[in-house]
């Protein structure tokens, strides 16, 4: 019996290569699986965080809390009693003082000038542009 | 020589074979050793370099897999309102336990623990830590801050177990409907109890029909009325009359389900479904409906309300006495007990009971909540019972039943089943007719008339045609009815022309105030609360105001004579 035949070495070599491939595949799978598990864990962690944040959001936006804040900070109250509902537009209350002043200023102030103001630098660059295209600049 | 040489050859051959075998064995053993060393070296390389370097700073697969298996444990589902606002949610918390066998200095540990948890006593904690066990609960459902402090102590033998804690972000707002769970996550009351199995195994959150914005508005107005009239309790309901969906359900006093451990039973009592009350005049709605069903053109039929009605030893009087002949529209508008009793009598006991039964007022309501009560009805129902039930006495029903029955009349006559669960109106879509559309229309007209010209004027909202019926019932005590202990209510509907919402507010034992000129009736106590609720409600729901020409009451004007004419009639009646 001849042990050291070429076919034996060949078989051994193939087995070795296959073992290596198998090992590499298994390592790759394990590696990918680890990444997958990590991603899943990260997702579930984020989901848990979202659950807590969602609960906190609904806690902070409780209607009674929003109403209290609107009353304290914005001077807003629920629309109560018949007087709050107007029949005609003329019954609308006067605008608040600050707005009235603004409106008065707007009415009395001079209208802003609409004539175009062109800086010298702009005029120069515009002149250059006209030169390049071989036209003539028209002075207003 | 030949022989020798042959022998020598033979000997040489045997020697070679033995040598070959020995060499072969050595090679084989060497090969095994070499392969083994290669395997060991390979594994060493794998562990030290491949996994060690690539997996640096990452958790091992084993721990990740363990974590994944933990995740599969079922989480109790959320309960949300119709817009997805969270009413109940289970959040992961850490619970602290100890292994007394590992704890070396129980005194120090107990001292440190009681410094963190102020509600725990040193003695009890020490006793727990000295027990002859391997597992003792120290405190369940810690806050993240508490958990951090325990970890910072670093005592061996103290460990955490992940648990769920039911959190109710809306607090008291819908406590009676949503209900509570025990420490192990089992439902104890409300939807938590009746949908315990679904919440434990279901696939999606459980959406209720409630709208937290309307719930808040209703609660605010009931609380205000209760405080103003120093009442002992209150309840209210907003229902979509088209499909029986309950948009708001309030029962006061209420409780915070997050701190449900030491809540008094009186606060846990759900007045809407568990409480039964004599409804008072709101019940006249059904008497009138029964009468109009039997007498199609009966709105103008007159009844004599000048004399109290005597049934055996009972005497029926009017609260808002008009002391004259009144037609059906006027009886409803002025809430005449005598007139209603006469109407009930004319309808007949059987037909009246049949209608109440069709409206679901004779049996316990069918609603998705554990706490329900059957109505209290007379055991031997005779004519006297028909007469008293005609104006809402001698029969006690739960508010949810009353509103569902009223909604069934107001929506055009199709029976609706009250529901707390969103998209569950399949049964209501089929609909069973309980009263004719004509009767339903007349009832809506009459309810509008009550608000424009009758006892419910304080419920009127400019631009929105509110209809309604006031109700004031004296409480039945052992010695009979007590005039000072009232249940004042208002049952409203809007818009009257094509109703969408039914509103009911009930105040338990209101006291009169100076503002109400000594009255504590439904028209003075509950009607203003209904008005304020509707004012906020139309703003929240963005409902457009209606045209005055659509107002229903106009068509009934011929049945309701002006006051001057009534006075003239009275004078001529007296001179006769």
């Amino acid at each position: 019996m001849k042990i050291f035949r070429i076919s034996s070495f060949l078989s051994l070599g193939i087995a070795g290569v296959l073992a290596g491939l198998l090992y590499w595949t298994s390592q790759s799978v394990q590696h990918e699986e680890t990444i997958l598990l990590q991603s899943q864990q990260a997702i579930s962690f984020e989901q848990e965080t979202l659950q807590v944040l969602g609960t906190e959001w609904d806690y902070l936006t409780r209607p009674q809390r929003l109403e209290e804040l609107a009353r304290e900070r914005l001077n807003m109250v629920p629309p109560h009693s018949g007087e709050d509902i107007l029949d005609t537009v003329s019954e609308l209350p006067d605008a608040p003082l600050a707005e009235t002043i603004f409106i008065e200023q707007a009415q009395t102030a001079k209208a802003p000038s609409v004539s175009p103001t062109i800086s010298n630098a702009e005029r120069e660059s515009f002149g250059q542009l006209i030169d390049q295209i071989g036209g003539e600049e028209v002075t207003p | 020589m030949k022989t020798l040489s042959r022998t020598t050859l033979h000997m040489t051959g045997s020697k070679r074979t033995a040598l070959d075998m020995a060499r072969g064995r050595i090679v084989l053993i060497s090969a095994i050793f070499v392969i083994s060393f290669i395997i060991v070296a390979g594994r060493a390389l794998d562990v030290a370099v491949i996994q060690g370097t690539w997996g640096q700073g990452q958790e091992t697969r084993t721990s990740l897999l363990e974590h994944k298996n933990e995740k599969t444990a079922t989480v109790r589902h959320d309960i949300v309102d119709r817009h997805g606002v969270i009413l109940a949610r289970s959040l992961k918390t850490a619970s602290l336990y100890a292994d007394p066998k590992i704890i070396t200095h129980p005194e120090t540990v107990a001292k440190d623990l009681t410094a963190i948890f102020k509600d725990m006593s040193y003695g009890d904690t020490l006793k727990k830590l000295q027990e002859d066990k391997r597992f003792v609960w120290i405190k369940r459902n810690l806050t993240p801050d508490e958990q951090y402090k325990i970890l910072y102590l670093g005592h061996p033998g103290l460990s955490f177990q992940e648990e769920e804690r039911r959190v109710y972000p809306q607090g008291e707002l819908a406590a009676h409907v949503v209900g509570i769970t025990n420490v192990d996550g089992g439902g104890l009351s409300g939807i938590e109890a009746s949908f315990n199995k679904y919440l434990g195994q279901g696939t999606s959150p459980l959406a209720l029909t409630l709208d937290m914005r309307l719930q808040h508005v209703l609660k605010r107005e009931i609380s205000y009325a209760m405080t103003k009239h120093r009442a002992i309790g209150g309840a209210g309901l907003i229902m979509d009359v088209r499909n029986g969906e309950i948009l708001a359900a309030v029962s006061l006093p209420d409780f915070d389900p997050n701190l449900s451990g030491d809540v008094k039973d009186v606060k846990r009592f759900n007045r809407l479904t568990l409480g039964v009350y004599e409804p008072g005049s709101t019940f006249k709605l059904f008497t009138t409906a029964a009468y109009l069903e039997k007498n199609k053109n009966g709105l103008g039929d007159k009844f004599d309300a000048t004399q109290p009605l005597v049934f055996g030893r009972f005497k029926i009087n009017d609260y808002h006495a008009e002391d004259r002949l009144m037609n059906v529209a006027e009886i409803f508008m002025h809430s005449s007990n005598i007139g209603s009793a006469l109407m009930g009598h004319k309808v007949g006991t059987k037909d009246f009971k049949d209608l109440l039964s069709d409206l679901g007022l004779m049996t316990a309501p069918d609603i998705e909540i554990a706490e329900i009560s059957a109505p209290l009805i007379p055991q031997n129902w005779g004519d006297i019972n028909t007469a008293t039930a005609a104006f809402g006495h001698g029969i006690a029903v739960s508010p949810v039943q009353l509103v569902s029955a009223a909604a069934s009349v107001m929506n055009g006559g199709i029976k609706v089943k009250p529901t707390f669960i969103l998209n569950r109106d399949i049964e209501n879509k089929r609909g069973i007719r309980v009263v004719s559309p004509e009767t339903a229309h007349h009832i809506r007209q009459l309810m509008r008339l009550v608000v424009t010209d009758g006892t419910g004027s304080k419920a009127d909202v400019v631009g929105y045609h509110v209809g309604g019926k006031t109700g004031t019932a004296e409480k039945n005590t052992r010695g009979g009815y007590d005039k000072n202990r009232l249940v004042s209510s208002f049952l409203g509907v809007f818009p009257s022309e094509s109703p969408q919402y039914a509103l009911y507010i009930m105040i338990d034992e209101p006291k009169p105030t100076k503002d109400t000129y000594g009255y504590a009736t439904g028209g003075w106590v509950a009607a203003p609360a209904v008005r304020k609720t509707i004012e906020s409600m139309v703003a929240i729901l963005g409902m457009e105001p209606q045209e005055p020409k659509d107002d229903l009451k106009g068509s009934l004007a011929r049945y309701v004579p002006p006051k001057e004419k009534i006075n003239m009639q009275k004078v001529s009646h007296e001179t006769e």
Side-chain angles (χ1 to χ4, degrees), chain B residues 25-200:
Chain B
R25 280 174 187 165
I26 289 166
V27 167
L28 193 70
I29 290 165
S30 309
I32 290 169
F33 270 96
V34 167
I35 289 166
S36 304
F37 274 108
I38 288 171
I39 290 169
V40 171
R43 181 68 186 142
L45 190 78
D46 177 32
V47 172
V49 181
I50 300 171
Q51 287 183 20
T53 316
W54 290 359
Q56 220 165 40
Q58 295 171 350
E59 288 183 72
T60 59
R61 285 184 73 240
T62 334
S63 78
L64 283 169
L65 281 167
E66 273 172 18
H67 199 72
K68 196 187 174 187
N69 292 336
E70 271 174 30
K71 282 267 162 287
T72 52
T74 44
V75 178
R76 194 174 171 87
H77 278 284
D78 294 350
I79 301 177
V80 296
D81 86 340
R82 66 188 302 121
H83 299 299
V85 174
I86 302 157
L87 306 179
R89 173 171 276 180
S90 292
L91 291 181
K92 292 235 160 111
T93 53
S95 285
L96 179 67
Y97 70 91
D99 181 351
K101 297 263 181 199
I102 301 178
I103 293 173
T104 44
H105 304 290
E107 294 84 7
T108 323
V109 178
K111 201 177 148 195
D112 288 344
L113 285 176
T114 46
I116 295 168
F117 306 115
K118 304 286 180 202
D119 56 330
M120 279 168 42
S121 77
Y122 174 77
D124 289 346
T125 315
L126 184 63
K127 206 175 157 190
K128 275 185 189 174
L129 296 175
Q130 286 173 334
E131 278 182 49
D132 189 21
K133 286 182 185 171
R134 295 301 308 261
F135 185 98
V136 192
W137 280 122
I138 301 292
K139 195 168 174 73
R140 297 177 83 168
N141 298 320
L142 307 187
T143 63
D145 186 47
E146 285 169 340
Q147 190 185 11
Y148 174 77
K149 282 178 182 166
I150 300 289
L151 287 168
Y152 192 74
L153 289 176
H155 288 302
L158 292 180
S159 309
F160 299 100
Q161 186 166 312
E162 207 171 60
E163 282 199 301
E164 273 182 26
R165 184 184 177 162
R166 205 70 171 152
V167 177
Y168 303 91
Q170 302 296 321
E172 303 95 342
L173 202 49
H176 287 103
V177 178
V178 175
I180 50 168
T181 57
N182 58 22
V183 74
D184 295 315
L188 286 181
S189 69
I191 295 290
E192 290 275 29
S194 50
F195 282 81
N196 193 32
K197 206 173 163 190
Y198 176 86
L199 291 166

Side-chain angles (χ1 to χ4, degrees), chain A:
Chain A
M1 187 180 122
K2 206 174 177 186
I3 300 174
F4 303 106
R5 274 188 298 199
I6 294 174
S7 60
S8 305
F9 282 111
L10 209 64
S11 311
L12 211 65
I14 290 167
V17 169
L18 285 176
L21 268 173
L22 188 66
Y23 177 76
W24 178 79
T25 313
S26 125
Q27 282 301 311
S28 306
V29 169
Q30 282 186 24
H31 185 65
E32 295 302 324
E33 215 173 20
T34 311
I35 291 170
L36 178 72
L37 283 170
Q38 279 167 346
S39 310
Q40 281 172 344
Q41 198 194 25
I43 289 167
S44 81
F45 181 75
E46 292 300 332
Q47 275 172 345
E48 268 175 41
T49 312
L50 282 176
Q51 291 260 316
V52 176
L53 287 174
T55 315
E56 195 176 354
W57 173 257
D58 281 353
Y59 173 73
L60 292 172
T61 54
R62 294 182 327 273
Q64 61 266 48
R65 182 172 180 267
L66 293 185
E67 194 175 284
E68 275 163 31
L69 288 175
R71 187 180 288 124
E72 278 173 24
R73 310 278 168 91
L74 305 169
N75 270 337
M76 288 170 85
V77 288
H80 275 342
S81 80
E83 297 106 58
D84 291 332
I85 298 168
L86 307 175
D87 288 335
T88 58
V89 181
S90 60
E91 288 176 36
L92 273 174
D94 292 333
L97 192 63
E99 280 181 38
T100 320
I101 293 165
F102 180 76
I103 292 165
E104 276 171 11
Q105 279 178 349
Q107 282 168 347
T108 51
K110 254 189 173 179
S113 164
V114 287
S115 59
T117 49
I118 303 163
S119 68
N120 287 333
E122 272 176 326
R123 193 175 290 280
E124 277 169 21
S125 64
F126 184 66
Q128 283 167 6
L129 184 74
I130 296 293
D131 287 342
Q132 275 170 20
I133 56 172
E136 276 183 25
E137 189 186 354
V138 184
T139 40

